């Protein structure tokens, strides 16, 4: 995982991401949720999306694996953000929706099915889950970080491997951060079945 990278670079990462406009992606997600529903922001980073969901009237639980990002996210959102790794997730049927924006992409591909089954178990039956990965195929390393990139076929294969999920939509978007507009993202919206 890449928690050390985010601990060491928290200030810059917070500045680069806390105020990025992801309202379009959030809108698709919240449209599939009951009003005031329970959302888990899994790997919340700066807390940007947890704050937006909270301001929309949802009951938000947020966590991140980086202690430095937890501190910043708690300050930004006013929420008690949890310091937790994906492997520690143990909720059962506790959330109407899970938002995993640009967070599971740091999990090694071989570990993704087990981690995703943990998160699936945290959803109520019929609950929805938004995930995003950098557009591509396979694993790659950058200084301090591992990325698991997915394109649509790889995303569909992963969802089948995890099981118990129905794919609602897979879309490609491009980064909204200045200077990164050519970086593609694979966005996946699934629903827990059974």
């Amino acid at each position: 995982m890449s928690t050390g990278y985010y601990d060491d670079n928290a200030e810059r990462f917070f500045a680069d991401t806390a105020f990025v406009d992801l309202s379009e992606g959030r809108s698709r997600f919240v449209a599939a949720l009951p009003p005031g529903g329970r959302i888990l922001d899994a790997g919340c980073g700066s807390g940007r999306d947890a704050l937006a969901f909270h301001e929309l009237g949802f009951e938000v639980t947020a966590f991140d694996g980086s202690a430095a990002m937890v501190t910043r996210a708690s300050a930004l959102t006013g929420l008690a953000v949890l310091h937790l790794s994906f492997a520690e997730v143990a909720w059962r049927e506790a959330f109407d929706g899970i938002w995993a924006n640009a967070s599971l992409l740091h999990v090694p591909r071989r570990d993704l099915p087990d981690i995703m089954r943990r998160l699936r178990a945290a959803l109520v039956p019929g609950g929805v889950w938004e995930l995003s990965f950098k557009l591509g195929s396979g694993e790659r390393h950058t200084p301090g970080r591992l990325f698991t990139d997915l394109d649509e076929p790889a995303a569909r294969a992963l969802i089948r491997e995890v099981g118990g999920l129905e794919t609602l939509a897979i879309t490609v978007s491009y980064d909204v951060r200045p200077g990164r507009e050519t970086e593609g993202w694979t966005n996946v919206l699934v629903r827990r079945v059974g």
Side-chain angles (χ1 to χ4, degrees), residues 76-159:
L76 178 70
T77 63
L79 301 171
V81 176
L82 304 171
H83 183 213
L84 197 68
S85 73
F86 288 121
E88 296 172 298
V89 168
W91 289 284
R92 294 288 179 267
E93 298 186 4
F95 300 101
D96 301 297
I98 297 175
W99 177 260
N101 180 263
S103 57
L104 288 166
L105 51 72
H106 293 309
V107 176
R109 175 60 181 87
R110 71 180 178 279
D111 298 337
L112 267 172
D114 287 339
I115 294 295
M116 288 176 63
R117 287 182 193 110
R118 284 181 168 275
L119 288 163
R120 182 195 62 207
L123 275 173
V124 299
V128 295
W129 181 5
E130 176 87 21
L131 315 86
S132 62
F133 295 83
K134 293 220 182 224
L135 178 61
S137 182
E139 290 182 352
R140 61 187 168 86
H141 293 267
T142 64
R145 294 187 287 180
L146 169 131
F147 286 90
T148 297
D149 297 339
L150 297 180
D151 55 15
E152 181 172 347
R156 288 190 184 281
L158 176 61
I159 297 305

Side-chain angles (χ1 to χ4, degrees), residues 23-32 130 169-171 187-189:
S23 55
E24 185 177 332
R26 286 192 305 262
S27 294
R28 174 176 80 168
F29 174 66
V30 300
E130 176 87 21
I170 298 179
T171 60
N187 309 291
V188 183
L189 183 66

